Amino acid sequence: MAAKSKYLTGDKAGIQEFLDRFDVGKQVVFVTNNSTKSRADYKRKLESLGIPAAVDEVFGSAYSAAIYVSRILSLPATENKVFVIGESGIETELDSESVPHIGGTDPAYNRSMTPADYTAIASGDALDPSVGVVLVGLDFHVNYLKLAYAFAYLKRGAKFLATNMDSTLPSAGSLFPGAGSISAPLVAMMGGQQPTALGKPSPAMMDAIEGKFRFDRAKACMVGDRLDTDIRFGLEGGLGGTLCVLTGVTRGKEEWEGKGKEVVPMAWVRELGDLRG
């Protein structure tokens, strides 16, 4: 029998029971798959919304990727540089971990490909021999040249990483291409090889968060507005609870109710303010 999600909006007793079950008010971690912003950027954004936050309370996919490259991969010094397809958030977090990188927002890569580029990339003359990782995130200026460089590095054996694999990005009340759409061409070029993803719902991201904050998963609750990232992250990460808020990508209970649905939140509300009762 499929799990049933409890509707909490307007249920004061149910809300109190839910809150009492978890360590609400003790530790908050803001987890985001948006790699275009650094932790410091998100701190400023949260504070502009009236939400007090510290940089260390923010755990983004760009930071998760930087931690993975610097502390997990153990790359040799001769192959420790990262070729980035992405925005400044990735570069800032790589800098915070002293990880060398190229690509990203460098204007030299924001142009059309020329005949000379084909020759230089094919011969290897244009490639940096110290690049051992290709890291792909959401890039608002992705182009053929960047993909050509990334493909060349991957063919040479570079590690294939992605900040996250979100297929879409919600904005302005609609959906737009997400970070997963940026890495998709490289997946196709590499014959279906998938990158190691460092954002939600990756278990690697949950392990990294637990390692940093030292919390009891059974007493933690994942709150989010997207089933395939937020809620799956909480379920597969073994958290005690999951709460779906219908203010983002997921818009209604019909998305998780019914036969064969695997990602079902423990509870749901129309909006986060409903928890006030």
Side-chain angles (χ1 to χ4, degrees), residues 79 131-132 152-160:
E79 298 177 9
V131 169
Y153 285 125
L154 290 174
K155 287 193 297 180
R156 288 193 163 204
K159 304 288 185 183
F160 189 10

Side-chain angles (χ1 to χ4, degrees), residues 118-197:
Y118 283 100
T119 301
I121 292 174
S123 67
D125 290 345
L127 303 181
D128 187 330
S130 62
V131 169
V133 175
V134 170
L135 174 57
V136 184
L138 185 59
D139 190 326
F140 299 122
H141 307 91
V142 66
N143 58 33
Y144 191 88
L145 181 67
K146 292 180 182 180
L147 291 173
Y149 269 100
F151 184 40
Y153 285 125
L154 290 174
K155 287 193 297 180
R156 288 193 163 204
K159 304 288 185 183
F160 189 10
L161 306 182
T163 57
N164 64 288
M165 297 299 289
D166 292 11
S167 58
T168 57
L169 169 72
S171 184
S174 187
L175 294 176
F176 295 86
S181 67
I182 307 300
S183 60
L186 291 170
V187 171
M189 291 178 220
M190 295 301 291
Q193 178 188 336
Q194 295 292 323
T196 297

Side-chain angles (χ1 to χ4, degrees), residues 25-69:
K26 296 181 180 179
Q27 174 71 65
V28 176
V29 182
F30 300 96
V31 184
T32 174
N33 269 1
N34 187 346
S35 64
T36 65
K37 291 180 171 61
S38 67
R39 289 170 296 157
D41 291 332
Y42 257 96
K43 177 183 182 297
R44 288 188 287 271
K45 179 179 180 179
L46 289 166
E47 290 178 340
S48 73
L49 297 172
I51 303 172
V55 169
D56 283 345
E57 290 177 321
V58 180
F59 206 99
S61 61
Y63 180 60
S64 180
I67 292 292
Y68 186 81
V69 173

Side-chain angles (χ1 to χ4, degrees), residues 197-269:
L198 283 309
K200 297 174 293 183
S202 167
M205 189 182 205
M206 183 67 78
D207 291 342
I209 294 171
E210 182 184 44
K212 179 174 181 177
F213 294 99
R214 302 296 178 185
F215 64 92
D216 182 350
R217 294 195 188 196
K219 294 182 179 180
C221 179
M222 180 67 200
V223 180
D225 60 16
R226 186 166 183 153
L227 288 181
D228 62 343
T229 55
D230 301 322
I231 304 306
R232 183 179 290 277
F233 186 56
L235 292 172
E236 296 184 353
L239 298 189
T242 50
L243 177 68
C244 187
V245 184
L246 304 186
T247 51
V249 174
T250 300
R251 306 304 292 179
K253 64 180 182 177
E254 63 276 2
E255 295 188 34
W256 66 75
E257 288 187 342
K259 186 177 180 180
K261 300 292 186 178
E262 296 181 354
V263 183
V264 181
M266 174 184 286
W268 63 286
V269 290

